[in-house]
Amino acid sequence: MAELIQPVRGMNDILPDEEALWALVESAVAELFERYGYRRIRTPVLEKTELFRRSIGELTDIVEKEMYTFQDRNGDSLTMRPEATASIVRACLSNGLLHNQQRKLWCSGPMFRHEKPQRGRYRQFHQINIEALGHAEPEVDAELIVISARLWEKLGVRMVLEMNSLGTPESRTNYKRALVDYFGKRRSDLDADSIRRLERNPMRILDSKNPAMRELVAEAPVLADYLDSESRDHFECVKTLLSDVDVGFTVNPRLVRGLDYYTRTVFEWISDALGAQSAVCSGGRYDGLVSQLGGNETPCVGWALGVERVIDLMRVSGWDGGDTGPDVYVVAVGSEARRKCFSTAERLRARVPDLTLVMGRPGGFKAQLRRADKSGARYALIVGDDELAAGKLSVKPLREDGAQQLVDFDELVTRLGREVGTTQ
Ligand code: HAM
């Protein structure tokens, strides 16, 4: 036998049994975002490498260690997107969407990071992003956070919200100086990554994934002590607006996020039910990114959730996969009955458009009925010699009590229409 080809490590197939929860999350998101006036955008999976270097930052884990970067046949350096914010900004600039305009956008799709795979951390994973471009006002930070809170209500999951303000780049200059001073004095305790980042990007040390750095980081100066007054007022306003609509949060002065483009508000929704990968949804303000990528000064804010982590949390919270089986499973015994059922099924699908109907495979009556039951179907539609002779069909409820009934086609349409909700 030929050797089996293995999947790429950290890249998962999403199987049909998992589909119901994925579809539920995707439809909940689409409906909610549209209600708040956010419109969908789709950007390519591949971008010029330079886009991510310039936006996420040269000295971040993502750019230094995690990107899938390669040269294409023209010799261009391309990267499989590790996140979507930079791509969305690039798409807005490429298509002139920001000329004196504000945009409220969302997108969904696979992202790629060469991380060490474990529960909740994959090399291909899926994000849903929501971004408001051209909005400086704290109401929009609050609106985006409220949207996420509404989504958790819809999906029946619970998380806690942590927030912080990173201030403006100017206010961070003094803070960075204080960090260089603090970590510089403890240089011998720093790991290699931190030493490299010390001069050029000391805030990244705070975000280190190395547990050995934790104690050192815990004692470091906090950003709140260096915040400019406008950023402080902005943050206060975001907090007040959230309190006004009863969205709870805690301020975590250590929250800095792993990407360099953030300014002012940053936040993460955290769950303690998922093991080490506890951040389910994260984001913040990135007022400098558009100009960094060649556009005009454009204040922006947004977030992204990890779909795999949301679904993991839904399962932990008691969702059973949501797979309910079809409405009808057709049991047809004998070649004439099978031929008859093929056309009957098509007529039924046409008359009851929302109906889900599955044709069983051939076999004895008992075996087919067993398969009908196993499929999770609500009804078995049975056609054998008796039904053919009578010119009728038998319906057998599989999930509730009730006798098998012999009905004609129109009666069946009426009954299924009543159950499924539509007929034509
Ligand atoms: P991020 O924190 O890097 O932010 O990722 C956002 C979310 O994606 C995380 O909270 C997590 O749920 C999920 N995620 C990240 N890496 C993985 C992975 N390897 N496996 C599974 N899930 C993962 C960003 O990407 C920003 N672009 C968010 C943003 C949007 N900021 C402003 N707008």
Side-chain angles (χ1 to χ4, degrees):
M1 260 207 285
E3 197 186 330
L4 284 179
I5 297 169
Q6 299 302 319
V8 179
R9 193 162 124 80
M11 303 207 176
N12 300 316
D13 302 303
I14 298 151
L15 302 177
D17 280 352
E18 303 165 70
E19 175 52 24
L21 284 186
W22 281 76
L24 199 137
V25 171
E26 282 160 0
S27 63
V29 160
E31 196 189 316
L32 186 65
F33 289 178
E34 299 289 334
R35 275 181 58 208
Y36 280 82
Y38 288 74
R39 300 181 65 206
R40 188 165 191 167
I41 184 170
R42 300 176 201 253
T43 66
V45 174
L46 284 179
E47 296 278 358
K48 299 264 171 71
T49 303
E50 178 62 14
L51 174 67
F52 301 114
R53 287 190 176 283
R54 232 203 278 171
S55 53
I56 298 170
E58 293 278 358
L59 293 181
T60 56
D61 279 351
I62 296 179
V63 171
E64 281 190 332
K65 307 176 190 170
E66 296 170 1
M67 294 204 305
Y68 282 90
T69 296
F70 61 94
Q71 284 206 341
D72 78 354
R73 288 169 194 274
N74 302 329
D76 292 331
S77 178
L78 302 184
T79 293
M80 298 179 73
R81 62 178 179 196
E83 61 111 43
T85 310
S87 304
I88 291 174
V89 170
R90 199 269 315 132
C92 285
L93 292 173
S94 306
N95 295 284
L97 300 190
L98 295 176
H99 288 318
N100 303 319
Q101 288 196 59
Q102 298 168 323
R103 296 282 172 180
K104 288 188 166 180
L105 302 171
W106 70 277
C107 82
S108 162
M111 308 293 151
F112 305 86
R113 296 184 193 175
H114 196 275
E115 294 194 81
K116 201 162 175 230
Q118 54 170 258
R119 177 181 177 188
R121 191 205 276 164
Y122 310 105
R123 290 182 174 172
Q124 173 175 313
F125 60 97
H126 295 76
Q127 275 188 353
I128 291 169
N129 277 250
I130 180 164
E131 317 282 353
L133 301 107
H135 295 267
E137 58 284 14
E139 287 79 3
V140 181
D141 306 46
E143 174 180 274
L144 281 165
I145 293 173
V146 170
I147 291 174
S148 56
R150 296 284 171 258
L151 184 61
W152 314 143
E153 282 166 18
K154 261 183 137 179
L155 300 178
V157 293
R158 294 169 73 88
M159 273 174 272
V160 293
L161 173 63
E162 294 191 354
M163 298 204 297
N164 194 17
S165 175
L166 300 183
T168 58
E170 297 73 43
S171 74
R172 280 204 298 273
T173 307
N174 289 335
Y175 177 58
K176 284 182 184 168
R177 225 172 271 140
L179 286 179
V180 172
D181 186 48
Y182 170 84
F183 286 118
K185 286 186 182 135
R186 293 155 184 84
R187 201 182 173 95
S188 55
D189 298 326
L190 296 179
D191 62 11
D193 274 348
S194 303
I195 289 176
R196 211 159 17 85
R197 291 167 182 180
L198 181 60
E199 295 300 333
R200 282 172 58 202
N201 203 350
M203 277 177 66
R204 286 278 72 84
I205 303 177
L206 301 176
D207 194 47
S208 169
K209 288 177 188 158
N210 180 357
M213 294 288 92
R214 217 163 275 159
E215 217 172 286
L216 214 57
V217 166
E219 300 293 316
V222 287
L223 184 55
D225 297 335
Y226 296 81
L227 217 55
D228 57 287
S229 64
E230 273 183 38
S231 294
R232 194 167 296 155
D233 292 347
H234 191 277
F235 194 41
E236 282 310 312
C237 191
V238 176
K239 291 193 282 181
T240 306
L241 291 169
L242 290 179
S243 300
D244 285 350
V245 289
D246 299 322
V247 172
F249 56 84
T250 53
V251 174
N252 173 0
R254 295 278 164 216
L255 183 64
V256 290
R257 307 276 300 119
L259 303 91
D260 276 354
Y261 50 60
Y262 290 110
T263 52
R264 295 196 165 165
T265 320
V266 287
F267 55 90
E268 283 186 353
W269 285 96
I270 311 274
S271 163
D272 59 9
L274 298 178
Q277 303 310 312
S278 57
V280 175
C281 171
S282 341
R285 191 159 266 292
Y286 47 99
D287 291 345
L289 183 57
V290 176
S291 58
Q292 233 170 289
L293 293 176
N296 296 328
E297 288 289 325
T298 309
C300 303
V301 53
W303 54 251
L305 63 77
V307 181
E308 285 82 355
R309 292 186 194 174
V310 169
I311 286 178
D312 194 359
L313 191 56
M314 287 168 77
R315 288 227 164 83
V316 172
S317 314
W319 285 86
D320 61 0
D323 208 2
T324 49
D327 298 313
V328 174
Y329 187 103
V330 178
V331 171
V333 185
S335 54
E336 202 188 333
R338 292 197 71 74
R339 183 177 159 199
K340 174 90 189 142
C341 280
F342 188 85
S343 59
T344 304
E346 276 313 288
R347 283 166 61 216
L348 260 181
R349 289 186 178 110
R351 292 283 302 278
V352 191
D354 287 340
L355 186 74
T356 52
L357 180 148
V358 169
M359 292 292 290
R361 61 185 165 87
F365 174 69
K366 277 198 178 143
Q368 286 199 53
L369 204 59
R370 249 196 325 271
R371 286 199 288 271
D373 193 38
K374 221 172 138 199
S375 76
R378 287 169 71 186
Y379 297 101
L381 184 63
I382 301 166
V383 180
D385 291 343
D386 293 348
E387 286 80 9
L388 283 179
K392 295 197 170 194
L393 310 140
S394 289
V395 205
K396 183 178 167 62
L398 296 174
R399 306 286 139 221
E400 60 205 46
D401 291 340
Q404 180 172 322
Q405 278 184 321
L406 202 61
V407 293
D408 65 24
F409 182 78
D410 284 333
E411 278 175 284
L412 183 64
V413 167
T414 309
R415 178 154 172 193
L416 292 177
R418 209 170 42 232
E419 299 291 339
V420 177
T422 48
T423 48
Q424 273 184 1

